[in-house]
Amino acid sequence: MGQRHQLFVVAKIRNRYRTLAVAHRQWLYEMGPVERCLRLIQIFQAGPNQIPMKQELRAACEKADDFWTTDFEQPFPFIATCLLVGSSFEPGTGYQHRVHSLRFNVTLDQIDNNDGITIIDISDTTDIRYCFAFPNDWPRKPLKPLSALGYLVRYETTPGGDEDEDEDEHSEVEEGEQEDQEEATDQFKIEDYTTLIPPEYLSLPRYRLEKKRMITKDILRNWLNPTAGDDKSLDHDEQQAQLVGTKQSLREQTMEQLVDTLLRDPDQDPDAIAEARHLPDFALKLGNKISSLAAAHELPSSPTLVRCLGIAFDGQTEIDLSSMTQITPSLLVEAISSLLESGIVKSLDLSHLRQLSEKDLEGIVHTKSGLETLYILQMPQISLQCVGSLWAKNTAFKEIYHTDLFGRPLNLSHRYSNLVVGLQSPIISDTRNPIKNILFARALSKMYGGEPNLRKDDGITVDWQRSELGLSGSHKENHMFFSVFPINDMLLIPTKIINGLVNFLRCASTDSDSCALGESYFAGYTMVKSFASASPDKTDGSTTIGPFPNLLYKACSTAARTMSPLWPVPFPHLCPGELSIVIINEQAPSRRMEKTSPSKFRLAVASPKTADKSEGYQVQSLEAYLEGLTECSSGIQSEEVATLLQYWKQRMSFVGSCEVAEIDELLPTAEKNMAKVKQSRVWEIISDAWDRD
């Protein structure tokens, strides 16, 4: 049904191009793939995403050949999360669309395609390659890489990408000459096709991908032919790097010998190290030598290693020890503890260090270290419970990267039962963040049968008690619904919460049809991607990728699969002191509305005054909540609070505040109506939908 497009992320893994993640998108055609491709390149090249990407590429290189044919859902969950966000979400333009994650090693003959494919090559994470292609004639004809302009021209001139049947293997042209002719046909000039391609491609330079490096035909051949030999050819840049690496001056050779002696000789005079550290570039050479020996599994566990590491990383705020997989745990713990004593290290990468235990980590990482970002990827011995404990004890943490944080939301094998258990007892809980849920209420003005009853701030006066809001999770004829979006299983600092809300409200407040919040699961997916692309820094951007909220993503996937208005998350058990963000969206009848149309967002932070809620709710504005944050509870300093407040007011001036009386009417009504529906019946319907699939 509809235009069907797939997006593949590939990389060169031990001289073979392998697929790492695949997504299926309905209604992605014409300019759509070009826009999504640019968004993906921006995400994959973003600085904060480099370390987790490189660690998953490293994990891919360690896989045996038979792994690539196994039935595994998402073995590279960070890369898959980047693909899902980039191919379906862009808050600045109001773009949000449902996207399906496919098995990572799905092949071209297993997909349903009629509008081409996008291929992203992340072998070099700082210089992403791309191409488009139409697989209609594959494998009868080789897959032909197309540039962005080439894709648009081919799409407009030959819908579906089918090529002229006259150009087949019966041509008299020699193979090499035929390839030269095909290359020539790809050299499209913009001025020759101005009547065929969308005008926005011509008017907005940022859409032009022509200056980006393209995937070549040789890469596609290597990727698509599993029986082909390894591609041992090197890029020009790789060849130059090897040539440079073979030329060493006498000074460099002497320096390398000195470094090697210091690392391998445990009886080396300590004074020699003290003298050597004053040599120009010694620390850099020492660090490079340590890294190269560690990567080759030749780094000795010498008593001098701790001191050498201290010299190599002296003054650095970002430290990568992920290559030191052969060092004994005791020596590694000593080295890490010594490095963190300075208090200036903000980012520490310990990925792949499987010799470290949970006890080791808890002893190393403590509040006084000042560490803000910790990478513990590809470390299955570290549980999510341990991650939660580390997060709770160190209020300086802004991010912890753990493979399971990204993998659990994408693993839908446990289906609805996993969601039920998770709602009752989440495997990881953020004790630093008192905000546990986002309660989203949507009212469509057409339920009033005419002109809506306007509020004093040009919003809509809603009679929540008569609306049957939340009944069966259904919006019925009046397009009203109430949904509970759990975020209690995310590691969130106030900055990420604000940036997540800004992403959601920016996207949902546009007049783009692609973000009409007409279903609970659609609003939920928008919230999922808003928080997954929320930066932990005080910057306005959405290219830093974090994990999906596990329970919320599973709820969206479950609700979307049933294609019914049932929302699988019941009204939460709200306790005094635990906060919920309430968002009320008053929406006009049509997404394509006039600017004067009464479409409003209102927001509040609410918590019940008593356990039985008999005295109603304590309600405050988001601004008041931020002003009440203290450094001891949230890890955020007063100047950061002031910056966040200013940022929120500048970007969200169109968002109003909820009145206490409205919250006291809205939440009890939604809770009462949702309680009328037996959850067993909800899950019976959802279970049937899974079984039919």
Side-chain angles (χ1 to χ4, degrees):
M1 174 184 173
Q3 278 80 3
R4 300 177 296 281
H5 192 102
Q6 286 79 34
L7 304 97
F8 294 79
V9 179
V10 304
K12 190 176 183 180
I13 307 297
R14 298 203 312 272
N15 296 322
R16 284 297 315 278
Y17 272 86
R18 304 285 191 179
T19 307
L20 304 178
V22 189
H24 171 91
R25 268 291 316 275
Q26 294 285 133
W27 305 108
L28 190 64
Y29 60 97
E30 204 175 54
M31 273 295 292
V34 177
E35 294 170 332
R36 295 308 100 217
C37 182
L38 245 171
R39 166 81 166 147
L40 283 166
I41 290 176
Q42 292 169 351
I43 287 176
F44 282 127
Q45 289 188 169
N49 300 330
Q50 295 295 296
I51 291 178
M53 280 177 59
K54 289 177 180 178
Q55 295 299 357
E56 288 199 340
L57 288 173
R58 175 182 168 186
C61 291
E62 296 173 354
K63 303 295 184 184
D65 288 342
D66 59 356
F67 163 81
W68 301 99
T69 57
T70 57
D71 188 15
F72 200 105
E73 287 187 39
Q74 301 299 334
F76 312 108
F78 179 82
I79 293 172
T81 303
C82 290
L83 175 61
L84 293 175
V85 173
S87 62
S88 64
F89 181 67
E90 191 166 5
T93 62
Y95 186 88
Q96 204 301 104
H97 203 286
R98 187 182 174 191
V99 60
H100 302 272
S101 177
L102 301 182
R103 195 180 71 251
F104 85 101
N105 53 6
V106 68
T107 57
L108 289 185
D109 55 355
Q110 297 172 331
I111 62 175
D112 181 13
N113 182 277
N114 66 352
D115 278 275
I117 59 175
T118 300
I119 308 170
I120 306 289
D121 176 9
I122 63 170
S123 303
D124 181 352
T125 59
T126 62
D127 188 13
I128 305 298
R129 297 189 188 192
Y130 85 99
C131 78
F132 301 97
F134 289 97
N136 308 57
D137 293 328
W138 182 86
R140 186 174 61 87
K141 291 184 179 181
L143 201 62
K144 186 175 181 178
L146 295 170
S147 66
L149 182 59
Y151 172 83
L152 292 172
V153 171
R154 183 67 54 79
Y155 184 86
E156 295 295 337
T157 55
T158 55
D162 294 324
E163 298 196 35
D164 191 346
E165 288 296 325
D166 292 336
E167 298 179 9
D168 56 19
E169 60 273 16
H170 299 296
S171 172
E172 298 294 332
V173 182
E174 295 291 333
E175 181 178 355
E177 185 179 349
Q178 182 178 7
E179 289 189 4
D180 291 339
Q181 289 183 0
E182 289 178 355
E183 292 288 352
T185 62
D186 280 341
Q187 304 305 313
F188 297 108
K189 295 181 179 180
I190 292 177
E191 56 268 22
D192 294 338
Y193 295 94
T194 55
T195 60
L196 293 176
I197 61 178
E200 56 264 37
Y201 187 84
L202 301 174
S203 61
L204 297 179
R206 75 182 186 89
Y207 285 146
R208 296 182 181 173
L209 287 167
E210 308 309 313
K211 294 183 180 180
K212 298 291 183 182
R213 296 180 69 193
M214 278 188 58
I215 293 173
T216 65
K217 289 183 179 179
D218 289 338
I219 290 176
L220 292 185
R221 289 194 188 102
N222 182 272
W223 172 52
L224 293 172
N225 189 354
T227 61
D230 290 347
D231 177 15
K232 298 180 181 179
S233 62
L234 294 175
D235 293 336
H236 174 73
D237 295 341
E238 293 173 324
Q239 293 173 350
Q240 290 300 111
Q242 285 198 358
L243 289 174
V244 172
T246 60
K247 299 177 182 178
Q248 282 189 324
S249 65
L250 180 61
R251 176 180 176 277
E252 290 173 331
Q253 293 177 17
T254 304
M255 179 73 77
E256 187 166 323
Q257 291 174 0
L258 173 61
V259 169
D260 191 66
T261 301
L262 292 176
L263 286 172
R264 295 183 183 278
D265 187 1
D267 299 322
Q268 179 66 39
D269 184 359
D271 293 336
I273 299 179
E275 294 176 6
R277 69 184 303 169
H278 297 295
L279 295 174
D281 298 330
F282 176 73
L284 177 62
K285 296 289 184 183
L286 180 60
N288 291 341
K289 184 65 175 180
I290 290 174
S291 297
S292 63
L293 289 174
H297 304 305
E298 297 176 357
L299 185 64
S301 292
S302 167
T304 60
L305 178 61
V306 174
R307 191 170 183 187
C308 287
L309 285 172
I311 296 172
F313 293 113
D314 184 33
Q316 296 188 26
T317 59
E318 299 180 0
I319 293 180
D320 179 6
L321 300 179
S322 62
S323 60
M324 301 187 181
T325 56
Q326 303 300 308
I327 304 302
T328 61
S330 59
L331 191 59
L332 191 56
V333 168
E334 182 184 355
I336 297 170
S337 300
S338 176
L339 290 170
L340 293 180
E341 281 181 0
S342 66
I344 66 171
V345 179
K346 300 302 179 185
S347 172
L348 180 63
D349 188 359
L350 303 179
S351 302
H352 294 271
L353 300 183
R354 301 191 178 187
Q355 68 268 45
L356 289 178
S357 66
E358 292 184 349
K359 185 178 180 180
D360 291 333
L361 270 184
E362 291 175 349
I364 294 168
V365 181
H366 48 78
T367 305
K368 294 181 181 180
S369 68
L371 196 62
E372 295 180 353
T373 305
L374 177 65
Y375 299 90
I376 45 176
L377 299 158
Q378 308 299 322
M379 296 175 67
Q381 81 278 16
I382 306 300
S383 66
L384 287 180
Q385 288 88 344
C386 177
V387 173
S389 175
L390 293 173
W391 179 265
K393 293 177 181 178
N394 189 350
T395 57
F397 269 139
K398 293 183 177 180
E399 291 273 24
I400 296 181
Y401 289 84
H402 187 279
T403 300
D404 281 353
L405 286 175
F406 291 91
R408 285 183 63 83
L410 303 182
N411 180 10
L412 298 176
S413 59
H414 297 298
R415 300 178 177 177
Y416 57 89
S417 60
N418 198 22
L419 175 60
V420 175
V421 173
L423 289 170
Q424 296 171 348
S425 179
I427 194 168
I428 186 170
S429 182
D430 183 3
T431 56
R432 284 168 49 186
N433 174 28
I435 299 176
K436 305 304 180 184
N437 301 281
I438 295 177
L439 309 178
F440 184 72
R442 180 177 186 268
L444 190 67
S445 62
K446 79 174 186 180
M447 66 172 286
Y448 296 96
E451 291 296 322
N453 183 11
L454 300 183
R455 295 163 53 88
K456 60 182 180 181
D457 58 353
D458 295 330
I460 306 168
T461 299
V462 181
D463 186 347
W464 297 112
Q465 292 182 344
R466 294 178 54 195
S467 67
E468 296 187 338
L469 186 76
L471 186 60
S472 302
S474 173
H475 55 70
K476 293 188 176 181
E477 294 297 324
N478 55 28
H479 289 266
M480 297 182 67
F481 61 80
F482 182 93
S483 300
V484 178
F485 299 152
I487 58 170
N488 60 327
D489 58 351
M490 294 192 74
L491 304 180
L492 295 173
I493 60 174
T495 307
K496 287 200 72 169
I497 294 173
I498 295 301
N499 281 327
L501 291 173
V502 168
N503 284 345
F504 177 81
L505 293 167
R506 285 178 66 197
C507 191
S509 62
T510 64
D511 60 357
S512 170
D513 282 337
S514 65
C515 195
L517 305 179
E519 301 280 354
S520 293
Y521 73 82
F522 205 94
Y525 273 133
T526 306
M527 190 69 72
V528 162
K529 297 166 192 175
S530 295
F531 274 87
S533 56
S535 171
D537 299 315
K538 299 178 290 295
T539 55
D540 181 16
S542 56
T543 57
T544 300
I545 302 301
F548 288 154
N550 177 40
L551 299 175
L552 179 54
Y553 185 75
K554 282 184 165 62
C556 293
S557 301
T558 301
R561 190 170 288 252
T562 65
M563 296 304 290
S564 79
L566 292 169
W567 181 244
V569 182
F571 196 89
H573 178 66
L574 302 178
C575 300
E578 291 186 352
L579 307 179
S580 297
I581 293 178
V582 181
I583 300 177
I584 298 175
N585 173 216
E586 301 166 343
Q587 188 61 59
S590 171
R591 287 297 295 173
R592 298 185 185 277
M593 63 192 81
E594 299 294 333
K595 291 184 179 180
T596 56
S597 179
S599 176
K600 299 284 290 184
F601 281 92
R602 300 201 304 283
L603 187 146
V605 180
S607 176
K609 295 179 180 179
T610 59
D612 60 3
K613 309 183 190 70
S614 60
E615 297 182 15
Y617 287 81
Q618 183 74 38
V619 180
Q620 59 181 327
S621 66
L622 187 66
E623 292 87 345
Y625 165 73
L626 289 175
E627 290 172 347
L629 292 176
T630 60
E631 184 176 356
C632 62
S633 63
S634 65
I636 189 170
Q637 299 179 357
S638 57
E639 57 269 21
E640 293 180 289
V641 171
T643 303
L644 274 181
L645 276 168
Q646 183 181 9
Y647 172 68
W648 173 263
K649 292 176 181 178
Q650 287 176 346
R651 299 310 305 268
M652 297 288 107
S653 58
F654 62 89
V655 178
S657 298
C658 300
E659 299 172 359
V660 176
E662 184 173 28
I663 297 297
D664 283 340
E665 179 185 346
L666 166 64
L667 296 187
T669 300
E671 182 176 14
K672 179 182 65 176
N673 289 342
M674 294 180 81
K676 294 178 181 178
V677 183
K678 293 182 178 180
Q679 287 300 306
S680 59
R681 175 55 182 161
V682 174
W683 290 110
E684 181 182 341
I685 295 174
I686 292 173
S687 175
D688 290 343
W690 278 104
D691 293 338
R692 290 194 304 269
D693 192 29

